[in-house]
Amino acid sequence: MNTTIPQIKQNPSIREIFQQREHNFLSKYGTPSTSAERRHPDVTPSNIRTPFQLDRDRIVYSNAFRRLKYKTQVFLSPLGDHYRTRLTHTLEVSETARNIARAMRLNEDLAEAVALGHDLGHTPFGHAGETALIEVYTSRFTHSDQSLRVVDVLENRGKGLNLTKQVRDGILKHSKGFGNIIPATPGETASTIEGRIVRVADIIAYLNHDLDDALRGKVISKDEVPDICIRKLGTTHADRASTMMEQLVYNSGPQNGEFILNMGKETMEAMTILRKFLFEKVYRSPAVHGEFVKAKKVIIGLYTYFMENPDEMQKELEKMEMAPWDSAKNTLNRSVCDVIASMTDRYALKLYARLFFPNPLV
């Protein structure tokens, strides 16, 4: 909550001027960057960037962020130029979260940083890869936990990115699975409103672009889309996205001293129906699910191979510019999980082919 007003001093830095502007603009429910805390204090604060702006830049310049361009959103390793990848999904979530935060007079930089980092730990092959690691590594594996591990431990050859606690909290709590779009359970969502917005922006983004891609890929037809989704949300991607964002902005607000996010009854109903439709007709469709089954076999095969050949895993860690496995810090299965979760679709497929496909000797 916006409570601390920074002291204006003579000859302030650009960062300090910007932070004063934050306090003049943000609502009392916004999160000022002056409240940011890091796991390890920066030796020299930036003169021109606030802590949340610095977090955003650290994420964008990370190897994990660049790998998102070759990670699955819905369609595995899409050959078509116009299908979403995990990177374009992340950019759409970021844009949506920024627009909502700005309209609500919240901290746009914080929302953007959380959005850009929310899927850094996603596995190759999307949720198929996540399901495979749940089966062979641990039932507690989630891409949200892995995303936090990426920014805390794996990036920068084991040094991490040293992000602020507000951004780290938003990354950890962005995922909703198939639970309520806006959950009410205390502690289930981020501690900041900006982090909670990213959670909703994630849903807004994937409901729209997954529907768009499914229509483009002829997995479904326009006639199959539930009528209530067309009537209440709109007929085009732009119409639906605008409706969802506007309904969130106009229906949210203070209640009993807390800022409560709300989509409005009709919009929430239509979004819930649309999500159920996508799960049944797209994500679990024979065309998509069949490829996911194959992808799981790739992940499980690589996992088993590295567990039996840790020296080969060390080579892959070096190629991927990750810190080498140190048995004093991590168990073997933990490091095997890390290296596989960090791979792109094409990297995993190429490696699997090299390891398991026969090569003619002559």
Side-chain angles (χ1 to χ4, degrees):
M1 186 178 293
N2 187 359
T3 56
T4 306
I5 300 176
Q7 297 296 316
I8 301 176
K9 66 180 183 180
Q10 193 172 9
N11 299 321
S13 67
I14 294 173
R15 169 182 55 79
E16 290 167 329
I17 293 172
F18 194 90
Q19 288 177 319
Q20 182 60 49
R21 287 172 54 194
E22 280 184 349
H23 281 273
N24 293 337
F25 172 77
L26 295 179
S27 80
K28 70 176 185 176
Y29 298 100
T31 308
S33 61
T34 50
S35 68
E37 299 177 24
R38 297 196 182 280
R39 300 178 75 208
H40 312 292
D42 283 335
V43 177
T44 305
S46 173
N47 288 322
I48 64 174
R49 290 174 291 177
T50 70
F52 298 145
Q53 291 170 345
L54 199 58
D55 281 2
R56 173 198 61 202
D57 294 352
R58 289 177 180 180
I59 290 168
V60 168
Y61 284 102
S62 69
N63 282 335
F65 185 79
R66 288 189 288 274
R67 291 190 195 110
L68 294 176
K69 66 182 175 181
Y70 293 117
K71 289 194 175 190
T72 290
Q73 175 56 29
V74 171
F75 296 96
L76 301 180
S77 294
L79 297 178
D81 291 340
H82 299 156
Y83 290 94
R84 271 68 171 198
T85 65
R86 190 63 57 176
L87 178 60
T88 59
H89 162 74
T90 295
L91 296 177
E92 291 186 36
V93 175
S94 174
E95 185 69 13
T96 300
R98 286 171 52 208
N99 286 330
I100 295 169
R102 188 188 309 119
M104 292 181 174
R105 290 174 53 216
L106 302 172
N107 196 314
E108 186 178 340
D109 294 324
L110 172 55
E112 182 179 28
V114 173
L116 291 173
H118 82 283
D119 267 357
L120 291 180
H122 228 302
T123 61
F125 313 123
H127 291 285
E130 187 170 9
T131 301
L133 287 177
I134 288 172
E135 290 182 10
V136 296
Y137 172 57
T138 174
S139 61
R140 297 185 300 277
F141 178 85
T142 69
H143 74 271
S144 298
D145 289 334
Q146 190 67 19
S147 293
L148 185 62
R149 182 167 172 79
V150 167
V151 300
D152 281 354
V153 178
L154 300 183
E155 264 301 316
N156 199 16
R157 289 190 178 272
K159 297 177 183 177
L161 301 180
N162 192 28
L163 303 184
T164 60
K165 72 173 186 179
Q166 290 89 344
V167 171
R168 294 174 62 251
D169 174 73
I171 289 173
L172 178 64
K173 296 178 181 176
H174 83 271
S175 184
K176 72 271 109 205
F178 197 61
N180 293 330
I181 291 176
I182 303 179
T185 305
E188 187 177 349
T189 55
S191 59
T192 64
I193 307 300
E194 292 87 351
R196 297 173 199 172
I197 284 173
V198 171
R199 185 183 179 109
V200 182
D202 187 21
I203 301 177
I204 291 174
Y206 82 66
L207 285 181
N208 283 296
H209 63 53
D210 288 358
L211 176 61
D212 199 25
D213 280 355
L215 290 168
R216 177 179 289 111
K218 295 182 172 53
V219 176
I220 57 173
S221 66
K222 289 184 178 179
D223 294 339
E224 293 180 84
V225 180
D227 180 64
I228 187 175
C229 300
I230 303 298
R231 287 187 290 104
K232 300 298 182 181
L233 301 177
T235 58
T236 68
H237 180 287
D239 289 341
R240 291 189 296 270
S242 294
T243 296
M244 292 178 190
M245 285 191 287
E246 289 175 7
Q247 288 300 308
L248 180 64
V249 170
Y250 292 136
N251 285 283
S252 301
Q255 292 183 23
N256 301 319
E258 290 187 42
F259 194 92
I260 304 298
L261 297 179
N262 192 342
M263 301 290 301
K265 183 178 179 180
E266 291 187 352
T267 303
M268 181 69 78
E269 180 185 12
M271 288 176 66
T272 301
I273 291 172
L274 178 57
R275 185 169 63 158
K276 185 173 184 291
F277 169 77
L278 289 174
F279 267 84
E280 293 177 352
K281 299 296 184 179
V282 177
Y283 309 142
R284 295 169 183 161
S285 69
V288 173
H289 182 69
E291 297 306 306
F292 275 20
V293 171
K294 298 175 189 177
K296 282 178 59 179
K297 293 180 180 178
V298 172
I299 297 297
I300 293 172
L302 292 175
Y303 184 92
T304 302
Y305 178 81
F306 286 139
M307 287 296 294
E308 297 172 351
N309 300 275
D311 289 344
E312 294 300 314
M313 179 193 67
Q314 292 280 36
K315 295 177 183 178
E316 297 306 319
L317 285 167
E318 178 60 30
K319 291 177 185 177
M320 297 172 69
E321 299 181 16
M322 298 171 68
W325 173 48
D326 183 348
S327 59
K329 295 181 180 178
N330 297 303
T331 60
L332 177 59
N333 62 348
R334 172 72 268 183
S335 287
V336 170
C337 175
D338 288 338
V339 70
I340 290 178
S342 299
M343 291 179 181
T344 63
D345 292 18
R346 67 176 188 175
Y347 192 102
L349 288 172
K350 185 177 180 180
L351 179 61
Y352 187 87
R354 179 173 67 80
L355 294 175
F356 300 110
F357 287 9
N359 289 308
L361 298 178
V362 293

